[in-house]
Amino acid sequence: MDYVGRLTAHLPMAIRLIMVKADGSVSVHADGGAYKPLNWMTPPCTVRESVGEWRVEHGKTGDALVITIEEILADRSYELGLDPGLQKDGVEAHLQALLAERVEVLGAGWSLVRREYPTAIGPVDLLVRDDAGGSVAVEIKRRGEIDGVEQLTRYLELLNRDPRIAPVRGIFAAQQIKPQARVLAVDRGIECVRLDYDQLRGLDDPTTRLF
Amino acid sequence: MDYVGRLTAHLPMAIRLIMVKADGSVSVHADGGAYKPLNWMTPPCTVRESVGEWRVEHGKTGDALVITIEEILADRSYELGLDPGLQKDGVEAHLQALLAERVEVLGAGWSLVRREYPTAIGPVDLLVRDDAGGSVAVEIKRRGEIDGVEQLTRYLELLNRDPRIAPVRGIFAAQQIKPQARVLAVDRGIECVRLDYDQLRGLDDPTTRLF
DNA sequence: GTATTTATTTCGTGC
DNA sequence: GCACGAAGTAAATAC
């Protein structure tokens, strides 16, 4: 198999599993590497089959996957029908929505200014007002790592240039905060808050919630 | 199917493809979503099969995937044997090697000091000398994003403490540079250069190249 | 074993 | 459609 596109790749002849889905995607799997195929083509793409060769092409990008077939050991096709989607729970968007509804867990008398408060380099998760009327930017993560602290630092730098809301201090809120991230945050005067998802959900009022 | 682990997810009953590989991984596919499974478990994990139910567990993390099986439409098993690995070409290491051989694309009369120039927090992709004898640190990415600018900033901070080479300025070189990364770079006095892989390869002298 | 960086990242979401 | 941030990111590499 040969792939030419964002990179060039070659896969020697061996026994492989080729999966073709209804969405048009083609994946070539080996018996390892967990769920990831060795090579693939995402839709929209076209498959042209000739004797001993499949040519899979992505029209727009020009990516091409050429599969040379020496022998077909099995060729099966199944109708899977409609797919009721996967329901996920506990991702970051949930945390943000839950915390936005219950900003008082950050401090008594605090209120939400807005979610996704825009800055020149992207939106801050939450902008809130503390009980003394001061501005607080909140960055929410499931896993709090150094990247998140850097991100909040950049936001704070920009927000503090805006005289309408400056001074703005920061809160780094996460379900789990890595020690190094906590050290960096504290060093920069950023407060760390651990979020308890189940507790937030318990506080949540089902009649007003978004999910 | 129900997953409890880093998040909680539920997948309603429907016709699915379950793939079990020799490495022990289990993936549950729908007829869409390209190569990505709806849910999966990476090795090492154990599968316990009982009547109408598979219980897949990751011992260390406690993640668990419970698959309820109403009907088996097909159950096939194939030996794939040994897998000669995938050979890739055109990734970041290549860009670095190509640019190292043709630093003059950055400026006439420029020369390479060394690739992977070491600092206390890791190696800089390239350290070069411009036509006036000044030091320039080059960070190379396929896709230039904010992270890369932060990385180069940290390197520059350290390199500029070294009196043997200071002052050192920075160049952020990438095949594609995101607007926000460019803004941040310019704000920090870092020059941005767009790399053309095919052009670099064209300039490359095949008799001296590393690949 | 831990931390860092890449990835044909893919994927969703806001503008 | 573009750009940006999240992902059960996973996987490879350096330390």
Side-chain angles (χ1 to χ4, degrees), chain B residues 124 137-139 147-157 169-173 190-191:
Chain B
V124 184
V138 185
E139 179 65 33
D147 279 4
V149 180
E150 295 281 18
Q151 195 181 351
L152 179 54
T153 303
R154 291 193 294 269
Y155 289 143
L156 286 170
E157 195 184 325
R169 60 198 175 92
I171 288 185
F172 190 56
I190 293 169
E191 184 184 339

Coordinates of all heavy atoms in Angstrom, one line a residue, chain B residues 124 137-139 147-157 169-173 190-191:
Chain B
V124 N 17.0 23.4 20.7 CA 16.4 24.2 19.7 C 16.6 23.5 18.3 O 17.7 23.0 18.1 CB 17.1 25.6 19.6 CG1 16.4 26.5 18.7 CG2 17.1 26.2 21.0
A137 N 17.9 31.7 16.5 CA 17.4 30.4 16.8 C 16.1 30.2 16.0 O 15.3 31.0 15.8 CB 17.0 30.4 18.3
V138 N 16.1 28.9 15.4 CA 14.9 28.6 14.5 C 14.1 27.5 15.0 O 14.7 26.4 15.4 CB 15.4 28.3 13.1 CG1 14.3 28.1 12.1 CG2 16.4 29.3 12.5
E139 N 12.8 27.7 15.2 CA 11.9 26.7 15.6 C 11.1 26.3 14.4 O 10.5 27.1 13.7 CB 11.0 27.2 16.8 CG 10.0 26.2 17.2 CD 10.6 24.9 17.9 OE1 11.7 25.1 18.6 OE2 10.1 23.8 17.8
D147 N 1.6 27.3 20.7 CA 2.5 26.5 21.5 C 3.9 26.6 21.0 O 4.9 26.7 21.8 CB 2.1 25.0 21.5 CG 1.0 24.7 22.4 OD1 0.5 25.7 23.1 OD2 0.6 23.5 22.5
G148 N 4.1 26.6 19.7 CA 5.4 26.7 19.2 C 6.1 28.0 19.4 O 7.3 28.1 19.7
V149 N 5.3 29.1 19.4 CA 5.8 30.4 19.7 C 6.3 30.5 21.2 O 7.3 31.0 21.5 CB 4.8 31.5 19.4 CG1 5.4 32.9 19.7 CG2 4.4 31.4 18.0
E150 N 5.5 29.9 22.0 CA 5.8 29.9 23.5 C 7.1 29.1 23.7 O 8.0 29.5 24.4 CB 4.7 29.1 24.3 CG 3.4 29.9 24.3 CD 3.3 31.0 25.3 OE1 4.4 31.5 25.7 OE2 2.2 31.5 25.6
Q151 N 7.2 28.0 23.0 CA 8.4 27.1 23.1 C 9.7 27.9 22.6 O 10.7 28.0 23.4 CB 8.2 25.9 22.1 CG 9.2 24.8 22.4 CD 8.9 23.7 21.4 OE1 7.9 23.7 20.7 NE2 9.8 22.7 21.3
L152 N 9.6 28.6 21.5 CA 10.7 29.4 21.0 C 11.0 30.5 21.9 O 12.2 30.8 22.2 CB 10.4 29.9 19.6 CG 11.5 30.8 18.9 CD1 12.8 30.0 18.9 CD2 11.1 31.1 17.5
T153 N 10.0 31.1 22.5 CA 10.2 32.2 23.5 C 11.1 31.7 24.7 O 12.0 32.4 25.1 CB 8.9 32.7 24.0 OG1 8.1 33.1 22.9 CG2 9.1 33.9 24.9
R154 N 10.7 30.5 25.2 CA 11.5 30.0 26.3 C 12.9 29.7 25.9 O 13.9 30.0 26.7 CB 10.8 28.7 26.8 CG 9.5 28.9 27.5 CD 9.0 27.7 28.2 NE 8.8 26.5 27.3 CZ 7.6 26.2 26.8 NH1 6.5 27.0 27.1 NH2 7.4 25.2 26.1
Y155 N 13.1 29.2 24.7 CA 14.5 28.9 24.3 C 15.3 30.2 24.2 O 16.4 30.3 24.6 CB 14.5 28.2 22.9 CG 14.0 26.8 22.9 CD1 13.3 26.3 21.9 CD2 14.4 25.9 24.0 CE1 12.8 25.0 21.9 CE2 13.9 24.6 24.0 CZ 13.2 24.2 22.9 OH 12.8 22.9 22.9
L156 N 14.7 31.2 23.6 CA 15.3 32.5 23.4 C 15.8 33.1 24.7 O 16.9 33.7 24.8 CB 14.4 33.5 22.6 CG 14.3 33.2 21.1 CD1 13.2 34.0 20.5 CD2 15.6 33.4 20.4
E157 N 14.9 33.0 25.7 CA 15.2 33.5 27.0 C 16.4 32.9 27.5 O 17.3 33.6 28.0 CB 14.0 33.2 27.9 CG 14.0 34.1 29.2 CD 12.8 33.6 30.1 OE1 11.8 33.3 29.6 OE2 13.1 33.6 31.3
R169 N 18.2 36.2 18.2 CA 16.8 36.5 17.8 C 16.2 35.2 17.3 O 16.9 34.2 17.0 CB 16.8 37.6 16.8 CG 17.5 37.4 15.5 CD 17.7 38.7 14.7 NE 18.5 38.5 13.5 CZ 17.9 38.3 12.3 NH1 16.6 38.2 12.2 NH2 18.7 38.1 11.2
G170 N 14.9 35.3 17.1 CA 14.2 34.0 16.8 C 13.5 34.1 15.4 O 13.0 35.1 15.0
I171 N 13.4 32.9 14.8 CA 12.6 32.7 13.6 C 11.7 31.5 13.8 O 12.1 30.5 14.2 CB 13.5 32.5 12.3 CG1 14.2 33.8 12.0 CG2 12.7 32.0 11.2 CD1 15.0 33.7 10.7
F172 N 10.4 31.8 13.5 CA 9.4 30.7 13.6 C 9.1 30.2 12.2 O 8.5 31.0 11.4 CB 8.2 31.3 14.3 CG 7.2 30.2 14.7 CD1 7.5 29.2 15.5 CD2 5.8 30.4 14.3 CE1 6.6 28.2 15.9 CE2 4.9 29.4 14.7 CZ 5.3 28.4 15.5
A173 N 9.6 29.0 11.9 CA 9.4 28.6 10.5 C 8.5 27.4 10.4 O 8.6 26.4 11.2 CB 10.8 28.1 10.0
I190 N 9.5 38.0 17.1 CA 10.0 36.8 16.4 C 9.5 36.9 15.0 O 8.3 37.1 14.7 CB 9.4 35.6 17.1 CG1 10.0 35.4 18.5 CG2 9.6 34.3 16.3 CD1 9.3 34.4 19.4
E191 N 10.4 36.6 14.0 CA 10.1 36.6 12.6 C 9.4 35.3 12.2 O 9.8 34.3 12.7 CB 11.4 36.8 11.8 CG 11.1 37.0 10.3 CD 12.5 37.1 9.6 OE1 13.5 37.5 10.2 OE2 12.5 36.8 8.4

